[in-house]
Amino acid sequence: MSDVSTLPWAKADAGNAIALYARPGLDLRVKIDQAVQRLREASIAHGQGLVQSSSLGVEDMVVTDLIARHKLPIDIATLDTGKLHVETLGLLPIIEARYGRTVQVFQPRPEQVIAFVRREGDDAMFRSIELRKACCGLRKLEPLARMLQGRSAWITGLRREQSGARAEVAFDEDDGKGLRKISPIADWSWAEVWSYVEQHAVPYNPLHDQFMPSIGCAPCTRAIAVGEDFRAGRWWWEESNKECGLHAKTP
Ligand code: SF4
């Protein structure tokens, strides 16, 4: 792992996300050990069939750090929807430099994107839930399916605390599509995630310093206000359950 002394995000700094959120719980050390154990067991059980599907959000950065720090032979992959913030994409070379791991990037099929944008426009997602889901379908679900082709399990950074829809997330569950889905930090709190980031100098998306706890595509993510739900900044114009379908159990 590279020297972290020059990383600007390694320390709590006036108003940054570490200063705002990091509060180590008494059992963080235990939770870290348990998360590593879950990753180790998944790696043994699935071998090359296992991949971390990273959103490049802070939870996934923690999981990547756990994988790299403990030298686990687990592939790391992400989706580049073509609509991500430059700050999000900027994490890819940082991960590679910091951990010496190549991140596999899966993009939507260009012909599908061109046809959709030509037909519906670049702002289709704001016009109806159906169009928003169609956009998520071709920019996220289709590339995810390719990422998971030939795999038997995938790792996520889902946490139960993130939303009501995620309150039942298991450490190891059937994803509804024939694969196992491993969520090694499902029981971590937001404060514990940021404590880990601080203690291990984990690189993170600077947009987290701007009140964006959950970061997706640029047009569909905004900062949240005090008291708003964790995922209130995602598809904020919809009354939906704030999910894009990546974690839906139905195919
Ligand atoms: Fe399209 Fe928004 Fe879904 Fe990204 S989050 S795929 S821009 S609808």
Side-chain angles (χ1 to χ4, degrees), residues 37-209:
Q37 186 59 20
R38 285 177 201 118
L39 288 168
R40 209 182 292 285
E41 286 170 5
S43 176
I44 292 167
H46 297 281
Q48 292 304 302
L50 183 63
V51 62
Q52 182 199 4
S53 172
S54 171
S55 70
L56 305 175
V58 65
E59 290 93 343
D60 289 294
M61 295 302 294
V62 165
V63 173
T64 294
D65 189 272
L66 290 168
I67 289 170
R69 189 171 293 278
H70 296 276
K71 299 186 170 41
L72 299 173
I74 298 172
D75 290 340
I76 301 166
T78 193
L79 304 175
D80 172 8
T81 64
K83 289 288 189 184
L84 299 179
H85 301 86
V86 290
E87 292 88 342
T88 305
L89 291 173
L91 284 168
L92 292 173
I94 292 172
I95 292 171
E96 298 191 359
R98 172 107 165 84
Y99 301 115
R101 298 283 190 118
T102 303
V103 180
Q104 300 171 14
V105 178
F106 290 80
Q107 295 172 320
R109 296 198 185 281
E111 67 277 12
Q112 289 186 2
V113 173
I114 291 167
F116 181 78
V117 172
R118 241 186 223 148
R119 195 174 64 244
E120 306 294 350
D122 210 26
D123 59 353
M125 68 287 278
F126 300 116
R127 297 211 311 277
S128 73
I129 291 184
E130 288 67 32
L131 286 173
R132 196 273 285 172
K133 286 185 175 172
C135 186
C136 286
L138 66 95
R139 290 184 186 273
K140 292 183 168 184
L141 301 189
E142 190 279 330
L144 177 73
R146 265 184 284 126
M147 181 199 293
L148 298 182
Q149 231 163 34
R151 304 283 186 176
S152 55
W154 49 309
I155 296 167
T156 80
L158 295 182
R159 290 183 307 110
R160 293 171 191 149
E161 196 192 58
Q162 285 167 333
S163 69
R166 297 184 176 184
E168 307 287 324
V169 168
F171 295 122
D172 182 340
E173 62 187 332
D174 183 344
D175 74 348
K177 303 176 213 53
L179 275 65
R180 301 305 297 178
K181 188 162 73 175
I182 319 287
S183 302
I185 62 167
D187 59 341
W188 289 30
S189 69
W190 186 232
E192 288 166 340
V193 168
W194 285 98
S195 295
Y196 184 94
V197 167
E198 180 176 34
Q199 290 170 15
H200 299 83
V202 178
Y204 67 87
N205 192 326
L207 294 175
H208 286 307
D209 292 334

